[in-house]
Amino acid sequence: IAREIIPPPPPLPPVEVPETTEGFLLYIKDIVRENGEITSTGNLYIKNTQSKSEMQLTGYSGTYIIRNPSFSNNGKEVIYTSNISGLWQVYIISKDRFVGNASQGVVINNGNNHPYAALSPDDRHIVYVEEDSNGNTRLFSYNRISLTKGIVCNVRDLVIKDVEFINNGLVSFIGVYNGIQDIYTVGLDGTNLTNLTNNTAITPQYGRLTFGNVNTLFYAKRVYTGFGY
């Protein structure tokens, strides 16, 4: 009796194992501040906390700022913004490669300033602030898969100063309206803009927003006491 020979199933595609950033520190050297604001920085570095080895990621020179560097979720890339080129631009670089000039790693380059940016937890989307020549700001999203962008927040006279993902569909940012700073959230699709803090005075002022875990934000703030911050 002839038997039907059933071929074995095709092999499964290899599973991409994310790299880990556990035990690594990402930092900027030589930060200079005036009245609490960063006016210049040095280059970007990674340190292995176990071996104590240090690797320099950028080789910029002159006067510039590197702002808000962070690892991608898969541990392979680093995102930051910098004005090293003369414009604020968004950079994504490999955590294992040295970047020697201002043109390497630029993600979005349309002639406008992009002073703040963040990468989604699934590494598929970038949200970034775009500032025109009049100082007006808008918040955009950029899909790294389809290479398309969309508007996330465009409110007249609302100045957007920082941005961070809370989850893949929800973005937080610091907004300044009539001199008052607040922390806002908005959907990546531009829906449900929400003021979380509803301040009524010109203080407090907020520092960098940092994603903690699901639905959690860490942030620094300072309050004016009448004599200083």
Side-chain angles (χ1 to χ4, degrees):
I1 300 175
R3 294 183 178 181
E4 181 182 2
I5 299 176
I6 301 176
L12 295 174
V15 176
E16 182 179 359
V17 179
E19 297 183 22
T20 179
T21 57
E22 183 177 353
F24 289 89
L25 291 176
L26 182 65
Y27 56 95
I28 305 164
K29 290 186 176 181
D30 303 320
I31 296 176
V32 177
R33 296 177 184 268
E34 292 183 7
N35 299 320
E37 298 293 329
I38 296 176
T39 56
S40 69
T41 71
N43 281 294
L44 185 60
Y45 295 80
I46 291 179
K47 180 177 283 291
N48 186 316
T49 59
Q50 294 183 346
S51 68
K52 306 298 191 297
S53 62
E54 180 183 75
M55 182 175 70
Q56 184 174 344
L57 288 182
T58 59
Y60 301 153
S61 60
T63 302
Y64 58 88
I65 297 173
I66 294 175
R67 177 178 283 162
N68 295 0
S70 60
F71 287 111
S72 61
N73 187 61
N74 66 12
K76 296 181 179 182
E77 298 173 307
V78 172
I79 184 171
Y80 61 92
T81 59
S82 179
N83 61 353
I84 182 62
S85 70
L87 285 174
W88 281 102
Q89 293 183 301
V90 181
Y91 292 82
I92 294 184
I93 62 175
S94 168
K95 75 173 180 60
D96 300 315
R97 291 186 60 187
F98 177 80
V99 173
N101 63 66
S103 64
Q104 292 177 279
V106 175
V107 179
I108 300 157
N109 188 6
N110 61 7
N112 290 316
N113 281 299
H114 302 127
Y116 300 94
L119 194 57
S120 62
D122 62 8
D123 298 330
R124 293 190 174 192
H125 291 90
I126 301 168
V127 288
Y128 62 95
V129 176
E130 183 167 289
E131 183 179 4
D132 64 22
S133 58
N134 296 318
N136 301 310
T137 58
R138 295 184 293 173
L139 188 62
F140 285 91
S141 66
Y142 177 74
N143 188 312
R144 301 179 70 192
I145 308 301
S146 64
L147 306 182
T148 56
K149 74 173 187 178
I151 188 72
V152 177
C153 183
N154 181 22
V155 176
R156 183 179 177 87
D157 298 326
L158 179 65
V159 179
I160 301 171
K161 295 193 63 176
D162 197 6
V163 62
E164 178 62 289
F165 275 92
I166 295 178
N167 56 52
N168 287 320
L170 187 64
V171 177
S172 63
F173 64 87
I174 297 171
V176 184
Y177 187 78
N178 289 335
I180 299 175
Q181 288 195 14
D182 282 294
I183 298 176
Y184 295 79
T185 58
V186 64
L188 188 62
D189 59 0
T191 60
N192 299 321
L193 177 65
T194 304
N195 186 334
L196 297 181
T197 48
N198 291 305
N199 293 313
T200 57
I202 60 171
T203 65
Q205 294 182 351
Y206 297 98
R208 179 182 179 183
L209 301 175
T210 304
F211 171 72
N213 50 37
V214 177
N215 297 325
T216 303
L217 276 176
F218 294 104
Y219 56 90
K221 72 176 181 178
R222 60 180 188 167
V223 177
Y224 191 77
T225 62
F227 302 97
Y229 287 96

